[in-house]
Amino acid sequence: MVQASVVIFAALAYIGLLFAIASYGDRLRPASARQAPRPLIYSLSLAVYCTSWTFFGSVGLATTQGFDFLTIYLGPIIVITVGAPVFMRVVRLAKAHNITSVADFIAARYGKNQGIAALVALVCIVGSIPYISLQLKAVSSSLLAVLGHFAGEETRWSMVGDLALVVACAMAAFAVLFGTRHTDATEHQDGLMLAIATESIVKLVAFLSVGILVTFYLFGGPWDLWRAARAANVTGPFQQGLSLENWVTMTILAAGAFVLLPRQFHVAVVENKGEEEIRRARWLFPLYLVLINLFVVPLALGGMTLFPHSLVDSDVYVLAAPLAAGFEGLALFAFVGGLSAATAMVIVESVALAIMISNDLVMPLLLRRRAEKEEDSQRPEDMVGLLLLVRRASILVTLLLAYLYYRTTGDVQLAQIGLLSFAAIAQVGPAFAAGLLWQRATAKGAIAGIVVGIAVWAYTLLLPTLADTGLFSHGFMETGPFGFVLLKPTALLGLSASPLAHGVAWSLGLNALVLVVVSFLTRPSQIE
């Protein structure tokens, strides 16, 4: 019998291994080779897109919405294959202008407007906090499942909260050590990327191992699994018709997230070392997505068949199935795979957010204050030290806020949190697309569109989620604020639309409409 202490040791040892890999990667490549392309590492590092939402949440989503989980991966595949010419153009522009983040990219198009940069950074923070908390929730849920099996109910509840905080602190330490070594945010971080690529391999092998166990060992293959699932009457989610509005909505959100999420922009654009890497990724990254989703449906069917009407959370079927079959070693490996998926996302996301917070929010204020006091004699190295301090503090504060959000939301399905974040990040999409495709777009139009879009997102998607957690009364959602039924979030589009499609349609639609109208009513500045 594997002891609970072994689970804790495995988690901390794996994070320690990542430290060693990142340190090795920084020392391995000589300075002369730092700019050389590394197509395999780049392609694998793009798989930071596959977080614990993929490792755990895709199975949970499949148990309720059937094949809808595929849309989360269809969007990125379209972008990296069909949309590769546009993607390459984004990379070329970023390299030409020394872009360090998605906020810098959008601001550069609109005349290096500091207001747009700050606004995009704030939207990215608001959208990323729930997504980071999703990773902490996944780590917590997996710990609940594993420790509950190895150590019993009392032990698991007394330990899991503190362990989630310890894991968050370890992730913060990793990000600080390997993501804030240099003030030049465009400098490539070979060690960090090597660690992320390694994590991509670990989570893929772990997920495939559990899928093979369930499909071919616990059941006699896909057809035997399907027959057993039909006998248990759990195949309903996969026999219902596909919802066009959900597929279109989720595919658009996923495509936008692949480019606009801070971590994805950092890995795909800032860390890119040449178009050769993108050409390799055009087929290798889609292949990775296909492989890691190969056993989602079998795991969902197997979990519902093995645990009918049980208290097992569908988000942790990946752990519960091998534990129930007595494969404790494989369950421990699956736990490490899920931890790997979470740590990769949190580390890169926190580094990317720290760059935006320092460059677009904090440092402009400090520099303005310095100019007002006419402190031109201040030594440059003092500002360098201050910049690193701001970035490190930003990482710690970001993870603290994510931990507090995780503690507040309670039992919300992983996919719900992820889609909420995707919809928030999508609000910078119209300004991003208009900047690439429409010369008439103005900075004032972009700002107005983002403000309206994020406000509608907060009303139609965020508030219902907070109501579900108990922070607001359910009466608020039934009658609308101040008793006006027309202000009820789901009253705007009608009962036929899903809440997600409803919120995304109104927020992005009004966002784009306001951007176009204000752009026509204003003139672009000379620098624009």
Side-chain angles (χ1 to χ4, degrees):
M1 173 72 72
V2 180
Q3 300 300 317
S5 58
V6 176
V7 179
I8 301 170
F9 175 79
L12 298 180
Y14 179 72
I15 295 176
L17 176 63
L18 294 180
F19 275 86
I21 292 173
S23 180
Y24 174 76
D26 279 339
R27 297 194 311 267
L28 178 63
R29 292 168 66 84
S32 59
R34 292 285 168 86
Q35 298 302 318
R38 21 160 218 186
L40 181 60
I41 292 179
Y42 177 79
S43 299
L44 289 173
S45 65
L46 287 179
V48 72
Y49 179 83
C50 300
T51 66
S52 58
W53 177 5
T54 296
F55 199 89
F56 296 116
S58 287
V59 176
L61 183 63
T63 62
T64 58
Q65 298 187 34
F67 293 104
D68 283 3
F69 76 94
L70 292 173
T71 59
I72 305 302
Y73 311 97
L74 182 61
I77 290 175
I78 293 174
V79 171
I80 201 67
T81 54
V82 179
V86 177
F87 184 70
M88 287 185 178
R89 183 187 174 196
V90 170
V91 173
R92 293 190 199 107
L93 289 171
K95 298 304 178 183
H97 295 275
N98 291 323
I99 299 299
T100 61
S101 67
V102 65
D104 288 346
F105 186 91
I106 296 176
R109 158 59 181 85
Y110 296 100
K112 297 188 181 297
N113 188 292
Q114 188 57 47
I116 289 183
L119 180 60
V120 172
L122 289 173
V123 171
C124 288
I125 294 169
V126 171
S128 297
I129 293 298
Y131 207 174
I132 295 175
S133 77
L134 182 156
Q135 315 309 314
L136 299 180
K137 173 177 170 55
V139 172
S140 174
S141 299
S142 60
L143 282 169
L144 281 172
V146 176
L147 292 179
H149 177 82
F150 291 139
E153 295 289 328
E154 296 182 1
T155 303
R156 75 176 193 170
W157 286 111
S158 64
M159 298 174 67
V160 67
D162 292 337
L163 281 175
L165 181 59
V166 168
V167 171
C169 292
M171 293 176 185
F174 188 101
V176 166
L177 287 175
F178 293 99
T180 61
R181 289 187 170 188
H182 312 286
T183 55
D184 183 5
T186 62
E187 183 171 340
H188 299 291
Q189 304 174 61
D190 291 317
L192 180 61
M193 290 303 101
L194 180 60
I196 299 305
T198 302
E199 288 191 303
S200 296
I201 295 174
V202 171
K203 62 191 177 189
L204 175 62
V205 174
F207 195 84
L208 290 177
S209 299
V210 177
I212 292 172
L213 170 74
V214 172
T215 306
F216 297 101
Y217 184 84
L218 300 186
F219 298 90
W223 294 115
D224 181 66
L225 172 58
W226 179 257
R227 285 192 295 269
R230 289 192 64 179
N233 196 28
V234 295
T235 58
F238 301 98
Q239 293 179 310
Q240 62 188 8
L242 299 178
S243 170
L244 179 61
E245 63 184 20
N246 278 344
W247 271 67
V248 172
T249 300
M250 293 169 69
T251 300
I252 291 174
L253 290 181
F258 179 70
V259 178
L260 300 175
L261 282 172
R263 73 175 187 279
Q264 290 301 139
F265 191 91
H266 184 85
V267 170
V269 178
V270 178
E271 290 290 339
N272 179 268
K273 291 186 177 182
E275 294 183 7
E276 178 186 343
E277 294 184 339
I278 299 177
R279 285 191 289 269
R280 175 75 64 85
R282 288 187 69 178
W283 64 268
L284 188 55
F285 179 62
L287 176 62
Y288 185 98
L289 293 182
V290 170
L291 289 176
I292 203 167
N293 285 283
L294 200 58
F295 290 101
V296 169
V297 173
L299 284 171
L301 290 173
M304 291 187 291
T305 303
L306 294 171
F307 312 107
H309 310 296
S310 71
L311 297 178
V312 177
D313 187 351
S314 59
D315 282 335
V316 294
Y317 279 169
V318 177
L319 295 174
L323 285 174
F327 289 84
E328 296 173 349
L330 181 57
L332 185 60
F333 183 39
F335 165 73
V336 171
L339 178 64
S340 181
T343 53
M345 179 274 175
V346 172
I347 290 167
V348 181
E349 189 87 348
S350 59
V351 169
L353 287 175
I355 292 173
M356 280 194 288
I357 292 171
S358 63
N359 290 2
D360 303 315
L361 295 177
V362 178
M363 294 309 294
L365 295 177
L366 294 178
L367 290 173
R368 187 178 306 169
R369 182 178 178 182
R370 177 187 175 190
E372 290 174 354
K373 293 183 177 181
E374 297 181 351
E375 294 178 352
D376 296 332
S377 60
Q378 187 174 6
R379 294 177 299 176
E381 55 266 22
D382 292 338
M383 294 301 292
V384 168
L386 180 60
L387 178 60
L388 291 177
L389 179 62
V390 168
R391 288 181 182 170
R392 290 164 182 167
S394 300
I395 290 173
L396 297 175
V397 172
T398 298
L399 283 173
L400 176 61
L401 291 175
Y403 179 78
L404 294 176
Y405 185 94
Y406 147 72
R407 280 302 199 186
T408 302
T409 52
D411 295 329
V412 180
Q413 194 177 44
L414 298 181
Q416 290 180 304
I417 303 175
L419 290 171
L420 180 69
S421 293
F422 275 20
I425 297 298
Q427 301 311 315
V428 305
F432 185 91
L436 286 174
L437 305 174
W438 189 36
Q439 291 184 348
R440 188 65 179 80
T442 66
K444 291 180 180 178
I447 292 175
I450 293 173
V451 170
V452 170
I454 200 67
V456 176
W457 165 84
Y459 178 66
T460 58
L461 294 174
L462 180 62
L463 284 183
T465 301
L466 295 179
D468 289 340
T469 66
L471 292 181
F472 292 95
S473 67
H474 288 276
F476 170 86
M477 304 311 301
E478 294 170 359
T479 63
F482 311 111
F484 291 103
V485 176
L486 288 180
L487 294 179
K488 179 182 175 185
T490 55
L492 291 173
L493 198 62
L495 298 176
S496 61
S498 70
L500 177 66
H502 157 266
V504 170
W506 279 98
S507 60
L508 286 182
L510 291 176
N511 185 333
L513 177 63
V514 169
L515 185 153
V516 171
V517 171
V518 175
S519 293
F520 275 123
L521 295 176
T522 57
R523 292 184 177 181
S525 63
Q526 187 173 5
I527 190 173
E528 288 183 74

